Amino acid sequence: MHQRILILDYGSQVTQLIARRVREAGVYCEIHPGDVDNAFIESQEGLKGIILSGSHASAYHEESLKVPSKVFEAGVPVLGICYGMQSMAAQLGGKVEWSDHREFGYAEVRAHGHTRLLDGLQDFTTTEGHGMLKVWMSHGDKVTALPPGFKLMASTPSCPVAGMADEERGFYAVQFHPEVTHTTQGEAILARFVTEICGCAGDWNMPDYVAEAVAHIRAQVGSDDVILGLSGGVDSSVAAALIHKAIGDQLTCVFVDHGLLRLNEAKQVMETFADHFGIKVIHVDATEQFMGKLAGVSDPEAKRKIIGREFVEVFQVEAGKLANARWLAQGTIYPDVIESAGGKTGKAVAIKSHHNVGGLPDTLNLKLLEPLRELFKDEVRKLGVALGLPPPMVYRHPFPGPGLGVRILGEVKHEFADLLRRADAIFIEELRKTIDSVSGKSWYDLTSQAFAVFLPVKSVGVMGDGRTYDYVVALRAVQTSDFMTADWAELPYALLKKVSSRIINEVRGINRVTYDVSSKPPATIEWE
């Protein structure tokens, strides 16, 4: 049993970042809805500390969620962030009020009192000698009176109580958000809380987790056979490698090729798993089936549903041929569970649905095996490397489940998929080949996600002495730490020029290349 930090979520859009920072400090943590009961708090084994997240709500409203009273009676340190600080203040005898001066974005906070949480952490010093922190604020309410036993820990001119602490009880709270990258010392603040204040040993790492996960899979599955839908993406690939390490030939993977994969992806997947790892993989080419169902469909959500439905149908047919299969394995990861309100209590607010969360078709009659369910994406990648998967596969950019189906705007056709596949491959190849002189890294590694999008419009062009009237592709490359916000990548002009030239010259049917310079928000990363 790992020592653990419990994170109670009150609806903040960045609660996942708290968990990621805690895990990065080598400490296991779990996110649960903020309205769990006292019995749940008491049931937590190995509990070393509790973190209360932010929220869009106001702590002084009667209908707002209250922190379970046992949180403050559990005998472990507690850190309140934003709404978590305000709830802590309100419930322990302080006062929270509406503020006529809201703070959203960058702020500079003065640290007071040299508490254990902030002692020695600063970004710069004022002429008066005050240590200052560069932070990110997002609040319209403020604490106006400290609870009994608390002292001031931090302040800004417009927020006199930007941090408070009762060090005797191990209660700390900050109005700013240490989990976001905009708070420069945020990672250090959270690491100090979980390791020094909570006393966690920092024993959470992926190389050691392999043996733990293998033992758990063996105990869960026993002598049964397992079937896994292998997409070629990072999550299903790591799940396959982990399960195979645990149970060997009891695992059979089904790779469904829907005709919307990247260039040579099917070949790469089969070579990696069947040839390199010796994993049993059934390759099903269902291109015509998927393309037939997609004909004439242009709505993005309709395309997603068709691709998802057909995948299930193909997979069911293949699963039916494996008489001894008792388990269906999926590459579900922790963000999928959180965002789909699939946590253990089921009370979290749903942000979006995921195809691999929420159960199985009854007709499959299989039990569910999800060995990555407690892991974040970066942990899945580290686990993949520890299992021996090729780093270029493990650290590939994200690829949507519907594949190129949602990177072809409008109706999906064979011709469009073939053009896009080739254009996308050129873009990725040049990103990998182009090295940044400052960092020494390739531009593929410097971007978080990069791809080409097929636009169903034609434009006039000139090639040689002749007129062309061909299709357009847009290139998209973003940089982000969490995929919740993203900036478009400022790729070198020489790189864009080379990619554009190669695509136009090598992919007959495309005569114009554009570059997407939209950030998220207001745009999304994918176009559909």
Side-chain angles (χ1 to χ4, degrees):
M1 171 66 69
H2 289 278
Q3 298 173 330
R4 69 178 57 205
I5 298 293
L6 173 63
I7 301 170
L8 294 183
D9 180 19
Y10 291 94
S12 169
Q13 295 296 302
V14 291
T15 301
Q16 282 191 38
L17 297 185
I18 303 174
R20 288 185 60 192
R21 300 291 174 261
V22 172
R23 296 269 185 102
E24 286 166 2
V27 176
Y28 181 73
C29 63
E30 289 184 0
I31 298 173
H32 290 273
D35 60 349
V36 295
D37 56 22
N38 284 328
F40 176 82
I41 303 298
E42 293 177 323
S43 71
Q44 296 297 293
E45 297 182 20
L47 184 64
K48 298 290 287 184
I50 300 172
I51 300 177
L52 311 174
S53 85
S55 173
H56 61 279
S58 295
Y60 49 78
H61 286 161
E62 282 298 318
E63 65 273 16
S64 295
L65 290 177
K66 300 297 187 288
V67 177
S69 60
K70 285 295 180 183
V71 165
F72 304 116
E73 301 167 6
V76 298
V78 182
L79 173 63
I81 297 173
C82 195
Y83 177 86
M85 167 173 155
Q86 295 166 9
S87 291
M88 182 185 291
Q91 291 180 228
L92 296 181
K95 191 173 183 180
V96 179
E97 296 180 298
W98 174 82
S99 175
D100 58 2
H101 189 102
R102 300 183 301 171
E103 284 185 302
F104 292 96
Y106 176 80
E108 295 177 353
V109 169
R110 175 186 168 187
H112 296 265
H114 304 293
T115 60
R116 287 182 68 192
L117 186 66
L118 300 183
D119 188 27
L121 298 179
Q122 63 184 41
D123 291 308
F124 66 96
T125 305
T126 66
T127 54
E128 296 86 359
H130 300 145
M132 303 293 290
L133 295 168
K134 298 178 180 180
V135 305
W136 189 70
M137 291 277 201
S138 179
H139 68 102
D141 301 326
K142 62 183 179 182
V143 175
T144 55
L146 294 172
F150 280 77
K151 66 179 181 180
L152 184 66
M153 184 169 66
S155 68
T156 72
S158 60
C159 184
V161 183
M164 62 182 195
D166 179 344
E167 296 204 275
E168 190 170 321
R169 288 187 285 179
F171 296 165
Y172 298 84
V174 292
Q175 187 59 67
F176 56 88
H177 288 265
E179 67 270 33
V180 301
T181 55
H182 307 73
T183 298
T184 312
Q185 300 292 334
E187 184 178 347
I189 291 170
L190 287 169
R192 175 171 291 178
F193 176 73
V194 298
T195 56
E196 296 181 24
I197 295 174
C198 296
C200 294
D203 61 351
W204 176 254
N205 63 81
M206 288 304 99
D208 290 348
Y209 180 69
V210 172
E212 183 181 326
V214 163
H216 182 74
I217 291 168
R218 287 173 179 166
Q220 189 175 4
V221 172
S223 59
D224 294 341
D225 285 351
V226 177
I227 183 171
L228 180 146
L230 182 63
S231 69
V234 174
D235 301 335
S236 68
S237 297
V238 174
L242 178 61
I243 296 169
H244 184 258
K245 184 176 181 65
I247 61 173
D249 285 345
Q250 291 169 244
L251 171 68
T252 299
C253 296
V254 177
F255 176 62
V256 179
D257 185 350
H258 46 38
L260 297 167
L261 300 173
R262 289 167 285 199
L263 189 66
N264 298 324
E265 184 154 25
K267 181 174 180 287
Q268 179 188 7
V269 169
M270 295 303 294
E271 287 178 349
T272 298
F273 289 95
D275 299 343
H276 181 65
F277 281 96
I279 297 176
K280 290 188 291 186
V281 184
I282 299 170
H283 180 195
V284 183
D285 186 350
T287 300
E288 296 307 320
Q289 177 176 336
F290 279 84
M291 289 298 184
K293 296 291 185 178
L294 289 167
V297 179
S298 59
D299 178 74
E301 195 60 28
K303 290 192 292 185
R304 288 177 180 275
K305 289 179 179 178
I306 289 170
I307 293 170
R309 184 181 66 240
E310 293 306 308
F311 181 89
V312 169
E313 289 191 9
V314 173
F315 187 83
Q316 282 186 280
V317 170
E318 296 303 322
K321 300 175 183 177
L322 302 171
N324 296 322
R326 298 289 181 270
W327 295 83
L328 172 67
Q330 294 187 155
T332 307
I333 64 175
Y334 202 30
D336 299 338
V337 177
I338 298 166
E339 292 176 355
S340 296
K344 293 181 176 64
T345 66
K347 296 179 181 177
V349 176
I351 298 171
K352 60 181 178 180
S353 63
H354 287 262
H355 69 281
N356 55 349
V357 178
L360 308 173
D362 293 337
T363 52
L364 274 176
N365 295 314
L366 297 174
K367 294 175 285 187
L368 189 59
L369 177 65
E370 297 176 314
L372 311 180
R373 189 179 175 87
E374 305 297 335
L375 304 184
F376 285 99
K377 191 77 166 190
D378 51 343
E379 293 173 320
V380 172
R381 294 185 192 279
K382 292 174 183 176
L383 179 61
V385 171
L387 288 165
L389 284 172
M393 169 177 276
V394 172
Y395 286 99
R396 281 197 307 176
H397 290 177
F399 189 61
L404 301 182
V406 291
R407 291 180 178 172
I408 298 171
L409 302 196
E411 183 181 2
V412 177
K413 297 181 180 180
H414 276 290
E415 173 196 1
F416 298 166
D418 289 339
L419 291 174
L420 179 58
R421 236 188 302 273
R422 293 159 59 201
D424 184 78
I426 290 170
F427 186 29
I428 298 304
E429 180 184 340
E430 292 300 332
L431 285 171
R432 290 188 183 278
K433 285 168 52 177
T434 306
I435 306 300
D436 174 56
S437 59
V438 177
S439 66
K441 296 181 179 180
S442 76
W443 272 100
Y444 184 85
D445 292 329
L446 290 173
T447 53
S448 308
Q449 193 166 355
F451 53 91
V453 179
F454 181 86
L455 308 183
V457 295
K458 287 188 171 184
S459 68
V460 174
V462 178
M463 297 187 76
D465 295 323
R467 174 186 184 275
T468 62
Y469 188 57
D470 288 324
Y471 290 106
V472 181
V473 293
L475 306 179
R476 177 77 159 140
V478 299
Q479 293 173 314
T480 177
S481 61
D482 51 34
F483 288 89
M484 294 179 181
T485 62
D487 292 321
W488 61 275
E490 297 185 30
L491 300 180
Y493 288 152
L495 169 58
L496 289 172
K497 182 178 181 179
K498 186 171 184 180
V499 172
S500 175
S501 177
R502 281 196 60 192
I503 290 174
I504 292 170
N505 281 287
E506 297 177 29
V507 185
R508 183 164 302 203
I510 295 173
N511 70 352
R512 192 175 297 270
V513 176
T514 66
Y515 187 54
D516 182 349
V517 292
S518 309
S519 293
K520 175 187 179 182
T524 54
I525 295 176
E526 296 284 351
W527 278 45
E528 288 192 344

